[in-house]
Amino acid sequence: MRQQTFFSPTMRDVPADAEAISHQLMLRAGLMRQTAAGIYTYLPLGTRVLHKIQAIIREELNRAGAQELLMPAVQPAELWEESGRLDDYGPELMRLNDRHERRFVLGPTHEEVITSIVRDGIHSYKRLPINVYQIQTKYRDERRPRFGLLRGREFIMKDAYSFEPSEEALAHTYEVMYDTYMKIFRRCGLDFRAVEADAGAIGGTGGTHEFMALADIGEDTIAYSDRSGYAANIEIAAVRPPDDTEEGTPAALSAENGYTSGEAAATAAGQPTSAVITGRLFYIDEVPVLILTRGHHEISDVKVGNHFDTLDVEVASDTHVQELFGTSSVYIGPVEAPSNVKVVADQAIRPLVNAVCGGNQDETFYANVDHRRDFDIDAFADLRMIQEGDPSPDGEGTIQFAEGIEVGQVFSLGTKYSEALGAQFLDENGKSVPMQMGCYGIGISRTLAAVVEQHHDEDGIIWPKALAPFDLHLLVINPKDEVQQTLGDNLYEALQTEGYDVLYDDRKERAGVKFKDADLYGMPIRIAAGKKANEGIVEVKDRKTGEVTEVQAENLPAYLNDIGW
Ligand code: ATP
Ligand code: MG
């Protein structure tokens, strides 16, 4: 491709709201442009990288036995009513009406469409299992679209769905897909981890793993062991139960007045923050529940939802807290709490003997609270976020944190959708049973951004070989010099004949501009025909190390071959 007419407009001043480095670099290097909030146009340079990612995905999935198809983005709302997700999915689901006022949605995911098709087409165990995938544009009206391609409202996803005759068959496909994802993200040059995760709104009974590209901008936190392979999203990372040795000997309950925080009341009573019991009021399936954690711990909403087996978990508003407790959320506690409020405690509270908690009146706390003596607990459970330094749940090593970008997720769905949509088949005994399902997603546009997050320096992008938009970037330093120009032209032809995809900077620009753009675009190998062109010598620069090697032009193919290009 000759750069003179290559449509890749660079941008000098990126908008202030482009916080993520990948967002900035993709705008600056002309990989994409924003068309509306969270909605982007992929320019030729960006499109080339997307195609490379897609080619890797297709190759690995086809090898794993999955078959490509393509479903519509526009889906009838009735299908979503059938699965129950028309309401459950909430405002993220983009909805529209056609000219006859028939209701449609723009697909954020495709369980409904594919399940309805498989339901109508497959009736016997003899046709199972099947595994299908598509690469397609998805729509989610995200509350906070941000970080460029990392969280868009229109984005490109690979989604796969498998239909299985048994739980064992599903477990097998899940493993195959997990391994396939490991290969895909490795080939994309990502530094990533597969972590245990929460199934969230998509539901399902089996396991699920997220694939996290490590990057500070990531919106997820991963808890991993410094000694074993354990890694999980902190939302669900299991905390080891405390040993139940009582922490002290019970003392008489006392009221502490005139304090505005549990910590202050604890200090006055000569107790540490870890002795404070914090109460937070939730409405869970519309029932008021006071969740208790120790002062130095943080509640995991996801664990709370999983404990109650619901997604309907809402933190009570200040008004509701006032109505029920007659005081603000700072002072609420389990001692003499309203009788219609359920009390559920994190397991770390069990060994606590002399605790400090809210007194259910303004500026009032209790000290020396003993949960066995002073109030009733409906249940103890693991409800807090794991913390750095906690023992790893598998018993090996200590927990550390890292930030991650979720680039993919695999789910073992079980029969949630097949039951809702009636995808049944006759098993070997002639009995009609629901199909077992798995679903498997990769955020392709997000993966592109994650790669840029990990592969850049202050001058621009540094593409991993497998994803570089072009194999080589060829430059003529001074196009007015006929020798340089001729050498460049000849090399452009010769390298293409060798099978390389070459971006040829034949522009009438100053050398400085060309070098700057080349660094910004980030092709891993840059070849420049400059002053030594009259000796037939070109400069080959490794974008990553900055190392420059002089090579005789006729030896260039052999040299590239030697360095594994
Ligand atoms: P998140 O938690 O980041 O909102 P999700 O868990 O809702 O994502 P999935 O339903 O698992 O997303 O979708 C599969 C993949 O699609 C994700 O792993 C992610 O890579 C990608 N993806 C999801 N939402 C977006 C988005 N708004 N923009 C870009 N990619 C996305
Ligand atoms: Mg996900």
Side-chain angles (χ1 to χ4, degrees):
M1 181 77 222
R2 287 181 178 271
Q3 210 167 323
Q4 180 67 35
T5 49
F6 183 57
F7 183 47
S8 183
T10 52
M11 185 189 266
R12 212 175 283 261
D13 303 310
V14 293
D17 67 350
E19 295 166 66
I21 190 78
S22 59
H23 190 184
Q24 295 168 11
L25 284 174
M26 280 190 276
L27 288 174
R28 281 180 53 205
L31 272 84
M32 61 165 196
R33 285 291 180 266
Q34 181 177 301
T35 298
I39 298 176
Y40 293 88
T41 296
Y42 305 100
L43 298 176
L45 210 46
T47 303
R48 279 176 167 261
V49 186
L50 284 175
H51 286 166
K52 295 227 162 156
I53 299 172
Q54 290 167 4
I56 291 172
I57 291 175
R58 286 196 167 98
E59 206 178 296
E60 293 297 341
L61 283 177
N62 293 347
R63 196 179 319 206
Q67 309 163 49
E68 185 167 3
L69 47 65
L70 186 57
M71 290 182 260
V74 179
Q75 310 177 5
E78 287 76 25
L79 268 180
W80 285 72
E81 251 161 7
E82 255 187 85
S83 71
R85 281 208 290 187
L86 192 62
D87 289 332
D88 287 357
Y89 215 93
E92 265 185 35
L93 187 62
M94 292 207 187
R95 299 150 206 257
L96 71 158
N97 287 2
D98 72 3
R99 63 169 74 194
H100 307 293
E101 292 303 316
R102 282 188 290 246
R103 296 168 307 145
F104 290 87
V105 306
L106 292 179
T109 172
H110 280 68
E111 282 80 12
E112 281 77 2
V113 172
I114 191 65
T115 308
S116 76
I117 289 169
V118 172
R119 159 184 81 192
D120 297 339
I122 289 186
H123 307 288
S124 161
Y125 73 95
K126 290 178 197 153
R127 299 280 165 270
L128 294 174
I130 55 164
N131 188 359
V132 293
Y133 75 95
Q134 65 174 343
I135 289 178
Q136 206 233 17
T137 302
K138 296 282 188 279
Y139 298 86
R140 294 185 185 178
D141 201 354
E142 298 275 357
R143 193 159 49 96
R144 282 190 75 193
R146 59 182 184 154
F147 301 147
L149 297 188
L150 288 175
R151 185 169 297 284
R153 297 196 296 162
E154 178 181 302
F155 58 96
I156 303 173
M157 198 203 282
K158 184 287 297 176
D159 43 329
Y161 305 89
S162 79
F163 296 83
E164 316 278 346
S166 66
E167 282 179 35
E168 297 72 52
L170 173 57
H172 174 72
T173 304
Y174 186 90
E175 212 180 297
V176 169
M177 292 301 272
Y178 180 102
D179 292 343
T180 302
Y181 274 38
M182 296 295 285
K183 287 185 195 140
I184 290 171
F185 292 123
R186 261 186 226 129
R187 284 183 65 182
C188 288
L190 280 176
D191 179 15
F192 70 99
R193 267 182 183 260
V195 309
E196 291 171 20
D198 180 55
I202 204 150
T205 46
T208 175
H209 285 86
E210 287 166 342
F211 293 79
M212 297 284 191
L214 304 181
D216 289 342
I217 195 88
E219 293 179 286
D220 286 277
T221 304
I222 304 158
Y224 66 94
S225 165
D226 60 0
R227 253 200 271 145
S228 72
Y230 178 83
N233 194 311
I234 53 158
E235 294 174 340
I236 59 122
V239 174
R240 282 172 81 84
D243 59 32
D244 280 343
T245 321
E246 287 169 15
E247 299 176 12
T249 42
L253 187 70
S254 67
E256 305 281 330
N257 296 317
Y259 297 99
T260 52
S261 74
E263 291 72 36
T267 309
Q271 283 175 333
T273 309
S274 59
V276 175
I277 294 178
T278 308
R280 197 146 131 229
L281 187 67
F282 284 82
Y283 279 87
I284 299 171
D285 288 330
E286 283 158 42
V287 175
V289 183
L290 187 65
I291 303 284
L292 306 179
T293 49
R294 294 177 68 148
H296 59 309
H297 292 154
E298 198 187 324
I299 298 175
S300 158
D301 294 7
V302 170
K303 285 185 178 179
V304 171
N306 288 344
H307 174 74
F308 287 90
D309 195 18
T310 182
L311 287 174
D312 187 7
V313 176
E314 253 183 79
V315 178
S317 66
D318 292 345
T319 324
H320 278 131
V321 172
Q322 275 289 350
E323 267 170 26
L324 266 171
F325 284 83
T327 183
S328 77
S329 55
V330 181
Y331 307 110
I332 66 177
V335 181
E336 286 156 20
S339 58
N340 60 336
V341 174
K342 264 187 146 176
V343 177
V344 175
D346 179 62
Q347 57 187 4
I349 286 175
R350 208 197 294 267
L352 199 51
V353 173
N354 294 315
V356 172
C357 68
N360 297 326
Q361 275 183 53
D362 291 356
E363 297 188 14
T364 304
F365 291 86
Y366 286 117
N368 301 326
V369 178
D370 182 347
H371 65 81
R372 293 157 305 182
R373 180 190 65 199
D374 300 322
F375 62 93
D376 293 326
I377 291 178
D378 290 275
F380 283 102
D382 172 14
L383 299 176
R384 75 159 169 100
M385 297 274 202
I386 204 161
Q387 293 179 337
E388 272 186 309
D390 280 342
S392 176
D394 66 356
E396 285 181 59
T398 303
I399 288 297
Q400 314 267 300
F401 283 179
E403 308 306 319
I405 299 166
E406 183 199 319
V407 284
Q409 188 162 14
V410 291
F411 294 94
S412 170
L413 288 172
T415 57
K416 175 173 163 150
Y417 295 93
S418 50
E419 274 183 59
L421 294 151
Q424 307 260 345
F425 70 104
L426 293 178
D427 70 9
E428 282 177 67
N429 307 314
K431 200 171 140 228
S432 180
V433 291
M435 295 175 197
Q436 295 284 333
M437 279 178 67
C439 75
Y440 320 88
I442 291 180
I444 294 176
S445 41
R446 185 182 280 185
T447 296
L448 165 58
V451 168
V452 177
E453 282 299 330
Q454 289 187 356
H455 298 272
H456 67 266
D457 62 13
E458 60 282 357
D459 297 321
I461 303 169
I462 308 171
W463 293 109
K465 183 176 180 226
L467 299 190
F470 292 90
D471 300 322
L472 300 169
H473 201 167
L474 176 66
L475 272 63
V476 172
I477 292 179
N478 178 10
K480 285 189 199 129
D481 180 322
E482 226 170 273
V483 182
Q484 290 186 25
Q485 181 69 50
T486 309
L487 182 59
D489 287 350
N490 291 344
L491 277 176
Y492 181 48
E493 294 307 323
L495 290 168
Q496 288 183 101
T497 310
E498 290 287 329
Y500 294 106
D501 203 1
V502 184
L503 180 62
Y504 180 30
D505 195 346
D506 56 346
R507 296 175 302 165
K508 309 266 176 287
E509 294 280 2
R510 283 181 295 112
V513 172
K514 292 186 174 188
F515 287 142
K516 252 187 132 155
D517 285 351
D519 281 347
L520 182 58
Y521 286 173
M523 255 50 83
I525 300 284
R526 190 189 78 192
I527 300 164
K531 281 206 187 90
K532 290 198 177 168
N534 53 1
E535 299 168 47
I537 289 172
V538 290
E539 282 187 349
V540 181
K541 184 181 161 189
D542 181 316
R543 172 69 182 84
K544 192 165 178 186
T545 61
E547 206 179 306
V548 177
T549 314
E550 290 188 350
V551 180
Q552 203 69 41
E554 63 269 23
N555 296 339
L556 199 51
Y559 174 81
L560 291 171
N561 208 27
D562 278 354
I563 61 168
W565 221 248

